[in-house]
Amino acid sequence: MAKVFCIANQKGGVGKTTTSVNLAAGLVKAGQRVLLVDLDPQGNATMGSGVDKRQLELSVYDVLLESASIAETRVSSEKCGYDVLGASRDLAGAEVEMVSIERRERRLKQALEAVQGDYDFVLVDCPPSLSMLTLNGLCAANGVIVPMQCEYFALEGLTDLVNTIKQVHANLNKDLKIIGLLRVMFDPRITLQQQVSEQLKSHFGNKVFDTVIPRNVRLAEAPSYGLPGVVFDPSARGSQAYLEFAREMVARDL
Ligand code: ADP
Ligand code: MG
């Protein structure tokens, strides 16, 4: 049975997609079978896995509208070693088109049931909103991984996400929990970042992952080559940190 994790944070540009593709590639290097689901209409996780979103015949949009199965829709990213359920622009319309559908928040969960046996991990890269798309991710997941930068407003932004997760837990998905907060783009020379990092640890204790992802330009360069940093330059500091994070995820009793 695959473990399903959402990478979510309603803020944009906090490292969700970078975490999704690098964790996926890191898990593959740790011997795991992985499916990456791109739930963001921007399709960055798709492109960043070397899959051209403009060439997709089917996408996660078709899966959500039940016009295709995951088995028909997934493509394998040969360079990265994992499968991708890709997103393209039409996903932006899914929100509106799904309004009149019953149990619309459970579409992804239902579709994943048929491929549970094919994977050890399913990672869901969520859009920067608490929308119907994110809700589909949260309904399907065993847990949420929250990438965050150690900045002044970081804790404030967390409140909305934590409340949403509580609501989904209470009403839609009893399995759902926060697996952990992942500190990303970390720069230890910045005192404020160290302070916020300490605050996070005192508030959330062991819900803060041990691994810290540093700010590292190789991670930012990799997407333009259609690769996760972990594949593009495995020896870079940022890639090493994501490999460590993948090992931490495998080792955790989740
Ligand atoms: P999100 O998916 O939350 O919008 P992204 O993963 O796309 O965020 O990251 C936002 C930007 O920050 C991207 O340009 C990405 O390449 C860059 N980035 C992410 N993580 C790092 C890091 N650890 N070091 C340097 N740049 C990073
Ligand atoms: Mg993103």
Side-chain angles (χ1 to χ4, degrees):
M1 278 273 280
K3 292 171 204 155
V4 183
F5 298 116
C6 277
I7 292 81
N9 186 325
Q10 75 278 16
K11 279 181 75 175
V14 292
K16 290 182 291 296
T17 300
T18 305
T19 297
S20 300
V21 298
N22 282 286
L23 177 58
L27 287 168
V28 168
K29 293 201 180 204
Q32 306 295 303
R33 299 168 303 160
V34 181
L35 171 68
L36 176 60
V37 179
D38 190 352
L39 273 188
D40 189 337
Q42 293 181 77
N44 293 345
T46 305
M47 299 294 279
S49 302
V51 175
D52 190 342
K53 63 181 178 184
R54 294 157 301 198
Q55 309 271 317
L56 289 174
E57 276 175 31
L58 293 168
S59 72
V60 68
Y61 168 83
D62 301 282
V63 171
L64 292 175
L65 291 176
E66 281 181 351
S67 54
S69 67
I70 292 180
E72 292 167 319
T73 307
R74 65 187 166 191
V75 290
S76 86
S77 167
E78 275 159 35
K79 285 183 194 150
C80 305
Y82 54 81
D83 287 351
V84 178
L85 190 57
S88 52
R89 287 234 61 85
D90 52 6
L91 186 57
E95 192 94 18
V96 176
E97 291 170 54
M98 287 167 79
V99 162
S100 59
I101 297 174
E102 254 179 74
R103 295 162 67 83
R104 56 186 178 271
E105 68 283 347
R106 294 185 204 271
R107 285 300 177 92
L108 181 63
K109 183 184 174 64
Q110 281 161 2
L112 280 171
E113 276 163 17
V115 297
Q116 279 280 348
D118 299 351
Y119 302 103
D120 301 301
F121 286 89
V122 175
L123 302 179
V124 184
D125 184 28
C126 290
S129 60
L130 298 172
S131 61
M132 181 54 62
L133 293 171
T134 299
L135 203 53
N136 260 272
L138 295 176
C139 275
N142 303 108
V144 188
I145 296 167
V146 185
M148 52 188 306
Q149 289 173 260
C150 291
E151 287 175 344
Y152 185 64
F153 289 116
L155 281 170
E156 211 166 299
L158 263 184
T159 316
D160 290 337
L161 182 62
V162 170
N163 285 337
T164 303
I165 291 169
K166 277 187 188 153
Q167 295 239 353
V168 174
H169 173 88
N171 300 307
L172 298 166
N173 177 5
K174 283 271 168 285
D175 288 343
L176 191 68
K177 54 179 180 289
I178 293 186
I179 302 296
L181 309 177
L182 177 67
R183 292 163 285 173
V184 299
M185 299 189 226
F186 191 73
D187 185 345
R189 292 167 303 185
I190 300 174
T191 312
L192 176 66
Q193 293 210 3
Q194 283 182 358
Q195 287 167 347
V196 174
S197 176
E198 287 310 314
Q199 270 181 4
L200 277 179
K201 280 201 279 187
S202 60
H203 266 77
F204 292 96
N206 66 359
K207 288 278 180 203
V208 181
F209 288 110
D210 294 335
T211 311
V212 178
I213 311 296
R215 184 171 283 283
N216 177 231
V217 69
R218 300 299 270 171
L219 291 175
E221 288 167 352
S224 62
Y225 297 88
L227 293 171
V230 160
V231 178
F232 173 61
D233 183 358
S235 64
R237 260 178 351 109
S239 306
Q240 289 289 316
Y242 272 115
L243 289 168
E244 180 62 37
F245 179 48
R247 288 191 289 269
E248 189 180 347
M249 283 296 293
V250 175
R252 275 205 176 199
D253 190 16
L254 298 161

